[in-house]
Amino acid sequence: MTSLLLRNGTVIDTAPAPTVLGRADVLVEDGRIAAVGPGLAAPAGAEIMDAAGRIVMPGFVDTHRHTWQTAIRATLPDSTLPAYLQRVLGELAPRHRPDDVYTATLAGALECLDSGITTVVDWSHIMFSPDHTDADIAALRASGIRAVFGYCYGGGDDLAALAAETARVRREYFDGPPGAVSMWMAALGPEIAGEERALAEWRLARDLGLPVTVHMGGHGADGAARGLAFLEDNGLIDHPAMYVHANFYTGEEFKRIAANGGTVSATPGVEAALGIGDPATGRSHAAGVPTGLGCDTVASGPGDMFGVMRAAYFLERARPDGAGTWFTTAEALRAATLGGAETAGLAGVTGSLTPGKQADLIVLRTDTLGMAAAHDPIAAVVLSAETRHVDTVLVGGRVLKSGGVLQGHDVPSLLDTLRAAAARITAG
């Protein structure tokens, strides 16, 4: 048995709600959280990590990210959703070769880890060929991150080919015992690709036992209502699903989603930047829908959860007539951790320091001018912390970042490859 004791840190747990436990220890055994509390005894042979002057907390869960877009960072600032669809999906995506997908996905996953994101839902609509798919999965696994691979078939309109290739990916990569990388169906329909494709995707997902993650609710109130009614009319509403960009659902529609086990991923930074609409972060959670946060795309927004938490917090609290003032820093932190795990179907695996869960946790420095003398550690994480404060990152008990440095990867070489790919993809 391997043991690691993080000793004397300021511990924040998130279950059932973010709470500062004070000076305490966290014991990790065989990759899982074994105990949390003050004065824990170190097992024989345990590694001891001094966390004094540090914050110890669960890692962040990014519930929606197009990780393959790392090579096109900041290509569309100050833009709109139609421009994004044209430039990114219409022009830049087809220029990605399988090796570009591997490089960008690995770099994006390591960016997540570097900033304290220990779990990511990788919504991958760059699957133009089996080689693209294989490269994406290989990169996620090589990074060491915990991931949900959201498979979106990109080979065209042949629904038989969609079914065959999705089944291949499921069979070849995800047919064994659960691992750090799991698979969901990333569905384009019904609001983006239409109802025929939606029926094929959702029915296939049911046949293969795959939950669905789908962009729904972000294309106007009429489209949101029609899409939800379509799922109900076709007996699909009760299939496990994550609704991304649920900006236009009403409170009543959120209750229908909640009643059928649905979850919501809000990406408040990109939703505001691209003019998609007011994020659903607070409204969906208030209606009883498990709600998480996502970075979405670094083409138009930040790639770290600190920026996303702040976007959610300030946008919610700026709602007219004080309607969002109930959304506190604790609510933002929960959405970025346990709320995200609930949204991604991983509440029993990660998102809190509950003994028995996987040891996905981060250690934040507080010995900087931007973090020192913080009276409320939760508020400090949400309002003051930055990626440079992420000192240590564990996923499943494995130390993937230590002393502020990513472990096990030649990052300078990867960045050279990423820059070369970015120059070619964006040329012209």
Side-chain angles (χ1 to χ4, degrees), residues 240-257:
M242 176 197 303
Y243 299 80
V244 183
H245 309 317
N247 307 67
F248 289 96
Y249 287 127
T250 64
E252 186 272 334
E253 288 166 339
F254 277 129
K255 290 179 181 177
R256 285 153 57 193
I257 290 173

Side-chain angles (χ1 to χ4, degrees), residues 97-99 101-102 124 126-138 149 151-156 161-162 164-166 168-169 171-173:
R97 304 178 307 211
D99 58 320
V101 172
Y102 180 88
S124 195
I126 191 71
M127 305 292 97
F128 297 127
S129 74
D131 289 341
H132 287 77
T133 303
D134 299 345
D136 195 299
I137 296 169
F149 172 62
Y151 176 74
C152 181
Y153 177 73
L162 181 155
E165 180 61 11
T166 306
R168 177 195 75 86
V169 175
R171 180 180 63 255
E172 291 190 6
Y173 290 106

Side-chain angles (χ1 to χ4, degrees), residues 383-401:
L383 301 179
S384 303
E386 303 171 2
T387 58
R388 65 191 179 100
H389 293 115
V390 180
D391 178 85
T392 304
V393 176
L394 279 72
V395 176
R398 292 180 57 208
V399 178
L400 300 183
K401 184 177 183 180

Side-chain angles (χ1 to χ4, degrees), residues 242-313:
M242 176 197 303
Y243 299 80
V244 183
H245 309 317
N247 307 67
F248 289 96
Y249 287 127
T250 64
E252 186 272 334
E253 288 166 339
F254 277 129
K255 290 179 181 177
R256 285 153 57 193
I257 290 173
N260 286 282
T263 66
V264 162
S265 172
T267 68
V270 167
E271 288 166 4
L274 295 183
I276 295 174
D278 292 336
T281 322
R283 294 183 298 114
S284 57
H285 177 65
V289 184
T291 302
L293 300 177
C295 293
D296 200 345
T297 172
V298 296
S300 303
D304 66 276
M305 194 56 70
F306 300 108
V308 173
M309 285 192 294
R310 285 196 267 278
Y313 176 77

Side-chain angles (χ1 to χ4, degrees), residues 257-427:
I257 290 173
N260 286 282
T263 66
V264 162
S265 172
T267 68
V270 167
E271 288 166 4
L274 295 183
I276 295 174
D278 292 336
T281 322
R283 294 183 298 114
S284 57
H285 177 65
V289 184
T291 302
L293 300 177
C295 293
D296 200 345
T297 172
V298 296
S300 303
D304 66 276
M305 194 56 70
F306 300 108
V308 173
M309 285 192 294
R310 285 196 267 278
Y313 176 77
F314 290 124
L315 287 169
E316 285 296 331
R317 293 185 67 84
R319 291 191 183 279
D321 301 322
T325 54
W326 67 273
F327 193 84
T328 62
T329 51
E331 293 286 353
L333 185 61
R334 191 185 190 283
T337 53
L338 184 57
E342 293 169 346
T343 300
L346 295 171
V349 175
T350 190
S352 73
L353 301 181
T354 304
K357 285 191 178 184
Q358 293 287 326
D360 298 353
L361 55 86
I362 60 177
V363 180
L364 306 180
R365 294 179 56 186
T366 63
D367 58 344
T368 69
L369 292 173
M371 284 287 281
H375 295 276
D376 183 336
I378 291 173
V381 172
V382 175
L383 301 179
S384 303
E386 303 171 2
T387 58
R388 65 191 179 100
H389 293 115
V390 180
D391 178 85
T392 304
V393 176
L394 279 72
V395 176
R398 292 180 57 208
V399 178
L400 300 183
K401 184 177 183 180
S402 178
V405 179
L406 287 170
Q407 305 295 300
H409 294 276
D410 184 352
V411 175
S413 177
L414 176 62
L415 292 177
D416 287 342
T417 306
L418 182 68
R419 292 187 193 102
R424 181 181 52 77
I425 291 166
T426 59

Side-chain angles (χ1 to χ4, degrees), residues 1-7 25-30 32 34-35 39-48:
M1 178 180 292
T2 59
S3 301
L4 170 65
L5 183 65
L6 292 89
R7 175 164 281 167
D25 306 333
V26 178
L27 177 61
V28 176
E29 293 185 332
D30 286 345
R32 295 181 179 272
L40 296 179
E47 179 184 352
I48 307 297

